[in-house]
Amino acid sequence: MPKILIVGGGYAGFYTAWKLEKHLRKGEADVTMVDPLPYMTYQPFLPEVAAGSIEARHAVVAHRRHLTRTHVVTAKVTGINHAQKVATITPPVGESYEFAYDQIVVTAGAVSRTFPIPGIADNAIGLKTIEEAVAVRDKLMSNFDKAASLPAGPERDRLLTVVVVGGGFAGIEAFAELRSLASSLLSKYPQLRFEDTHFHLIEAMGRIMPEVSLKTSEWVLKDLAKRGASVHLDTQVQGAEGGNVQISTGEVIPSDLIIWTAGVMANPTVVRGGDLPVEERGRIQTRADLRVGTDEAFVEGAWAAGDVSAVPDLSGGGVGGYCVPNAQHAVRQAKRLAKNLTAVLRGEETKNYFHKNLGAVAGLGLYNGVFQSGNIALKGFVAWVAHRGYHGLAMPTWERKWRVLWGWWHNLWLGRDLVNLQTVQNPRYIFEEFAARPRPAADAAPAKPAVTPPAEKRTGEKTAETPAGEKAAAAK
């Protein structure tokens, strides 16, 4: 029975395994999926998780619950020797080992792409994982708690200042959702005013959201300005040391929350640790039928999809001729890959991946959004409904769909959940603070115990002597 190894359990990897379970007959192939996390993250929901509009656990899909015929391995693939068809798997505990396969599917996704700017690595946070989204939400809410106890001044301003770097869809959605969260928090903090909160978006290009028309992006800019947000176009970050964001205009913005969304890159651990062909942008060279290789020749037994791959966009709408790294392409590529891989195992022909972009939709906070499809543009509440409708249906499995929809329904009547659980990132703090510890052993010989002198006999009092028998008992 041929062995199929799927490297990565994100959107593309999960869907590939899920659809292979549907297409493959029992006993036709043995499928193993390796990922360091036990769940798939639905990344379009991360801005709403950061804003408290979606429960964090509802934005992920557990591998072991929904992949019933796939061997799920929670570990990292740290090396691919496709010449020998062997991958190196490194588990969180224990020694690394080699795994032999017949077909490999690389869907390791992407990570935040940063630049060697002083202070960014130490002070900023990305928004590519569910853990980062939760940390951003809790950080903002904790800063409100701290600022409410401080007088007006530089320290309070720093705590209430949010800086988002990157004006693409991810950055704009995160920026707008956090602005919406901050506005809703103000009603709970009478000590703070709207003017005390400061939101800055920094974008190196001369416009935001290149996925939509210029007219639509300008509407978004005006909408953000109405909500008190500052957008810095044609501006680069030059430093972020000590939480002081230095930008190319010469301005310095002190901030306690710096969010980096300025681009992604293919997972370097997998790409650099293997011998599969890589194109100039660091992605695995992939054909239109999702096989690794070029139009002239393909690598036997190797496939790729999602953000880690450079897949030709046959619709003609891709940047540089390739599909852009987004969830819309990842899920559709995974579905086509599963069909093509099944066809190869049965000696049948493959089909090319073709998908014309349906448009772009973004949430800009509660009851506000933007939608663009061709020349059609929707804004405001209608676009927000389209945003939630599209992503609610796109969430994999009905079990997860129901959890998300049920949470939205509750929030409609009860309001967004404003519980701050930042201390969950250090759950032992209260136990450690009060836990009893053994006293350190003394280096020198123990000193003789101090003897309490007997109380002096008062005038007119008699001192009772302890009988000899009681003294002996006390000595024992």
Side-chain angles (χ1 to χ4, degrees):
M1 191 163 53
K3 290 185 177 181
I4 301 173
L5 173 63
I6 301 175
V7 181
Y11 214 166
F14 173 83
Y15 259 97
T16 299
W18 200 27
K19 294 304 177 181
L20 282 175
E21 290 189 352
K22 176 181 177 182
H23 300 313
L24 292 173
R25 294 185 289 266
K26 187 176 181 180
E28 192 171 7
D30 182 72
V31 182
T32 299
M33 187 179 74
V34 181
D35 192 275
L37 297 174
Y39 51 79
M40 181 220 87
T41 301
Y42 189 74
Q43 293 187 3
F45 279 157
L46 292 182
E48 288 200 60
V49 172
S53 297
I54 294 179
E55 164 60 34
R57 286 185 175 87
H58 296 170
V60 300
V61 181
H63 290 155
R64 298 178 189 276
R65 173 163 185 170
H66 296 284
L67 298 177
T68 57
R69 293 167 49 198
T70 302
H71 303 294
V72 177
V73 179
T74 305
K76 292 182 178 180
V77 172
T78 53
I80 298 174
N81 182 356
H82 191 68
Q84 302 296 324
K85 290 194 174 181
V86 171
T88 302
I89 297 179
T90 304
V93 293
E95 299 294 328
S96 300
Y97 60 93
E98 292 188 341
F99 183 92
Y101 60 83
D102 298 293
Q103 302 279 341
I104 189 169
V105 179
V106 184
T107 55
V111 298
S112 296
R113 178 180 58 120
T114 58
F115 305 99
I117 300 172
I120 287 295
D122 299 321
N123 299 306
I125 185 172
L127 200 63
K128 286 288 292 177
T129 68
I130 197 71
E131 294 84 1
E132 289 174 327
V134 171
V136 166
R137 180 196 66 193
D138 290 343
K139 181 72 170 179
L140 180 61
M141 297 178 71
S142 293
N143 284 355
F144 266 75
D145 290 334
K146 297 174 184 177
S149 62
L150 293 174
E155 180 60 20
R156 192 170 81 171
D157 288 341
R158 186 181 69 87
L159 290 170
L160 297 178
T161 298
V162 176
V163 175
V164 176
V165 184
F169 253 64
I172 291 296
E173 284 194 290
F175 187 69
E177 290 286 355
L178 291 174
R179 173 69 268 184
S180 176
L181 171 61
S183 298
S184 64
L185 286 174
L186 288 170
S187 63
K188 313 300 180 185
Y189 295 88
Q191 308 93 327
L192 305 177
R193 301 174 304 164
F194 181 85
E195 294 75 16
D196 296 327
T197 60
H198 313 282
F199 280 73
H200 296 268
L201 179 79
I202 301 171
E203 170 53 45
M205 295 176 59
R207 59 164 295 180
I208 61 170
M209 303 174 75
E211 299 88 346
V212 302
S213 68
L214 182 59
K215 184 178 180 181
T216 302
S217 69
E218 289 174 347
W219 178 88
V220 175
L221 284 175
K222 293 177 182 178
D223 182 73
L224 292 174
K226 291 178 183 177
R227 291 190 273 168
S230 300
V231 179
H232 307 260
L233 299 178
D234 293 315
T235 306
Q236 295 85 36
V237 175
Q238 297 180 332
E241 293 180 301
N244 295 312
V245 181
Q246 303 172 11
I247 56 180
S248 55
T249 60
E251 186 180 356
V252 177
I253 307 171
S255 174
D256 197 49
L257 182 54
I258 306 168
I259 304 167
W260 183 274
T261 64
V264 297
M265 64 178 179
N267 190 320
T269 302
V270 173
V271 173
R272 298 172 188 169
D275 57 355
L276 296 175
V278 178
E279 48 94 59
E280 64 269 8
R281 296 190 63 182
R283 299 172 297 180
I284 294 176
Q285 186 69 56
T286 311
R287 291 158 39 108
D289 64 354
L290 287 316
R291 287 178 170 182
V292 173
T294 63
D295 291 338
E296 292 73 26
F298 62 87
V299 179
E300 180 66 39
W303 309 75
D307 295 355
V308 77
S309 62
V311 180
D313 189 343
L314 301 183
S315 71
V319 179
Y322 294 101
C323 296
V324 296
N326 61 21
Q328 189 176 143
H329 280 302
V331 62
R332 287 171 172 82
Q333 288 172 7
K335 291 178 179 179
R336 170 48 53 194
L337 193 158
K339 290 180 179 179
N340 282 350
L341 180 50
T342 302
V344 166
L345 293 178
R346 296 173 182 171
E348 300 170 358
E349 294 294 323
T350 63
K351 294 182 180 179
N352 287 339
Y353 169 74
F354 179 89
H355 171 66
K356 189 173 182 180
N357 199 329
L358 298 177
V361 60
L364 303 176
L366 282 180
Y367 314 122
N368 194 19
V370 62
F371 170 81
Q372 179 90 46
S373 180
N375 295 325
I376 301 174
L378 302 177
K379 303 156 190 170
F381 178 76
V382 175
W384 177 80
V385 173
H387 161 75
R388 285 206 161 178
Y390 173 79
H391 287 299
L393 292 175
M395 182 70 177
T397 81
W398 280 105
E399 178 254 340
R400 305 319 282 179
K401 285 182 175 67
W402 180 251
R403 291 183 188 274
V404 171
L405 294 173
W406 196 239
W408 282 340
W409 176 254
H410 282 167
N411 288 348
L412 178 65
W413 303 104
L414 304 176
R416 78 172 87 214
D417 194 342
L418 299 180
V419 175
N420 172 18
L421 293 177
Q422 188 176 34
T423 52
V424 79
Q425 297 169 42
N426 182 23
R428 296 185 65 250
Y429 82 99
I430 194 71
F431 180 83
E432 290 179 334
E433 182 178 354
F434 297 103
R437 291 177 171 82
R439 294 183 179 179
D443 295 334
K448 293 182 179 180
V451 178
T452 304
E456 294 183 4
K457 183 176 70 173
R458 295 179 183 176
T459 306
E461 287 184 348
K462 293 183 179 180
T463 302
E465 294 185 0
T466 304
E470 292 183 20
K471 287 182 180 180
K476 292 181 182 180

